[in-house]
Amino acid sequence: MANDGPTPLERFVNGVIPENPVYRQLLGMCPVLAVTGSMKAAMTMAAAVAFVLICANVIVSLIRNLLQPHLRILVFTLTIATFVTIADRLLKAYMYDMSKELGPYIPLIIVNCLIIARCEVCASKQRVFTALSDAVGQSVGFALGLASMATVRELLSSGSWFGVELFWKTGTAGEQYRWGLMALAPGAFFTLGILLGAAVWIGSMCNKNKTTLEA
Amino acid sequence: MQYVGELILIAVGAAVVNNFLLHYFVGVCPFLGVSRRVDMAFGMGCAVTFVITVAGALSWMFTYYILQEGAPLATWIYQKCSGDPTATSNLSILNYLIYIFVIASSVQLVEMYVRKFFPVLYKSFGVFLPLITTNCAILFACLMILKYVDGTTGWGIGQALTLSFFAGIGFTIAIVLMAGIREELTLCDVPKPLKGAGITLLIAGILAMAFMAFTGVDKQLGKLLTPPKPTAAEQAPTGESQDATKSIAYTTKPST
Amino acid sequence: MLKYIKQGWLVIVLAACFGTALAGIHMALKDKIAANQLDAINTQIPLLIPGADAAKTQLDEPLTKQLGMEVRKGINSEGKLVGWVLRASGSGYADKIELLIGLDKTATKIMGIAVIEQQETPCLGSKITDSSWNDQYDDQPTATELVVLKGMSPEQKLIKDGKINAITGATISSDAVTSIVNDAVTKAKPALLAELKKDK
């Protein structure tokens, strides 16, 4: 058991902050930029990604001993594409309005590097339970990344959160302060750039504290 | 003439107005990764343009003849097998699976073809080809084509090819611009936390703002290209923009 | 041959499993999805044509085929024709816009429009879905084409003379909606009138 690598719990914790898919690994950037205009859309996207990631990781982990090395990418893609189709249909059936809003970004989960990277790095080498907790950890980390982006953008662009207007309400004089640019493409790039810088800065501060404590 | 006009509109729309990178955010991963040097960025852009065109054409064919509801080829086979002449097939559930395999195989195809016949070209951008399978821009182009093939818009192969080729051109423009700026950036003193991806994203934001200025270019072009209708209203002659900053109210203009 | 089967059997087995799973999902959800799509239209019909019964307002197939766009006959609870609903689409600022257009029985007046699909810029172009804006189309005459103007006064907006006030900062989206309405109405009107005569 000693050569089993990290435990499931470590895998889970790793995915949330130290190896956060958005801020540390910079994986799967399209949804991070594209669907974070509102909190609702971002959370639906996070749920869809989590569903696909968990299912794909479990399946790949189950068949890891049968995989032919040169065919593994093909198998990953097949698995991911199937689960994305299922997620897409489920959304269309039970959350029709949301599926219309997310539009092509749901099928684009297929080419989200995050999922294929987790299949390759973790699921194809670890046991099912480890792979599962890794997938859950990464999904939580991804959801956190999306949520931070969406919170900033939705608050600034329309003064609301999860569609509930907190300030700059419609019909009041405050409406003119809404920062419409944040809902558009440049706003997405700016928010991510600044949040990324902040994440790196906080990370370096933490490291500095640790080294000074040890010294 | 109408057809050519439509193609021009699609081309301008895909290349600059609704740039895949700066408007739809697809293909951001290579945009961050391979935009350090202009020559590499250009190679990547060429490779994407190449693959996106092939994949676009193939996915149009698959969608039109096999996947969409009532597609001729699939329906014909289905009718022969079931013996029911009124049956129609609907294989749209397989859309995404087919697209991703079309993309993967066209990447392979392009790689083999280029290596065999254009060794010089292969040297300049061959290394990027395998990376392209997971480039969202390609799948996104296929999905756009899927959206417009059905129903009232009824795109043919011409429109699909134009869209995908010029989407690739737009991608190349954006990534080369970015690489040019990043080459200059090596001489600048960037705050430490923003080094690398952070500053790239901020610059991308400014580029996206610049590209917003193209807004409405395709609509105005469309007005020029379509012959005026006899009852058409006089259009406001000023350049129109959807930009929030330009929301100046113009005085009412009577129709003719 | 045997070599390929030996290496590829997993892919084949997986493909078969996933294919079955997909077919199952498709069978289970296809009716629900179709119902959702219909619902999106049906909930709008009574709002577009007052008095129309969504359950009785069905797609009129010969007209739909003839015009190349979906046409519905607005039928009230007594089974009488009260109006028409057209479904039209065209390109907007960013992407396709799809509209439902309600016309009165003789196709002389627009009863209202509803946007069922759009990907316009949030906060600007997406205001085309606000009823405060698209209520302007209610009761507009169809005799002439509608015109988009900028900066109309509130009094001007109340006069229904075929003029539409553009959304501030989103003239292109306003233009797009108006031209979709114009094209659809011009195209459909003769056919609707002919159908009306036939009914009498």
Side-chain angles (χ1 to χ4, degrees), chain A residues 81-193:
Chain A
T82 308
F83 284 111
V84 169
T85 312
I86 292 174
D88 180 64
R89 292 292 149 142
L90 285 173
L91 271 181
K92 270 195 184 133
Y94 297 105
M95 296 174 77
Y96 186 66
D97 291 334
M98 197 39 89
S99 85
K100 259 193 346 199
E101 193 179 328
L102 291 174
Y105 293 102
I106 290 286
L108 280 180
I109 298 175
I110 301 176
V111 283
N112 193 323
C113 332
L114 170 66
I115 298 174
I116 211 156
R118 289 334 288 179
C119 285
E120 170 81 23
V121 173
C122 175
S124 60
K125 299 193 179 82
Q126 306 285 347
R127 289 180 312 149
V128 177
F129 191 62
T130 322
L132 177 69
S133 68
D134 179 75
V136 175
Q138 293 287 336
S139 312
V140 172
F142 191 67
L144 276 180
L146 280 179
S148 57
M149 281 282 292
T151 307
V152 173
R153 287 183 67 194
E154 199 183 341
L155 280 178
L156 289 178
S157 69
S158 55
S160 58
W161 200 63
F162 267 111
V164 182
E165 292 189 332
L166 301 175
F167 48 93
W168 299 341
K169 288 189 175 121
T170 315
T172 62
E175 216 178 335
Q176 57 181 309
Y177 298 117
R178 286 182 183 178
W179 194 4
L181 189 74
M182 288 319 266
L184 305 179
F189 283 116
F190 288 142
T191 316
L192 186 61

Side-chain angles (χ1 to χ4, degrees), chain A residues 66-89:
Chain A
L66 305 171
L67 278 177
Q68 300 279 345
H70 60 283
L71 287 177
R72 66 179 197 288
I73 299 289
L74 181 71
V75 173
F76 296 164
T77 320
L78 189 68
T79 320
I80 295 167
T82 308
F83 284 111
V84 169
T85 312
I86 292 174
D88 180 64
R89 292 292 149 142

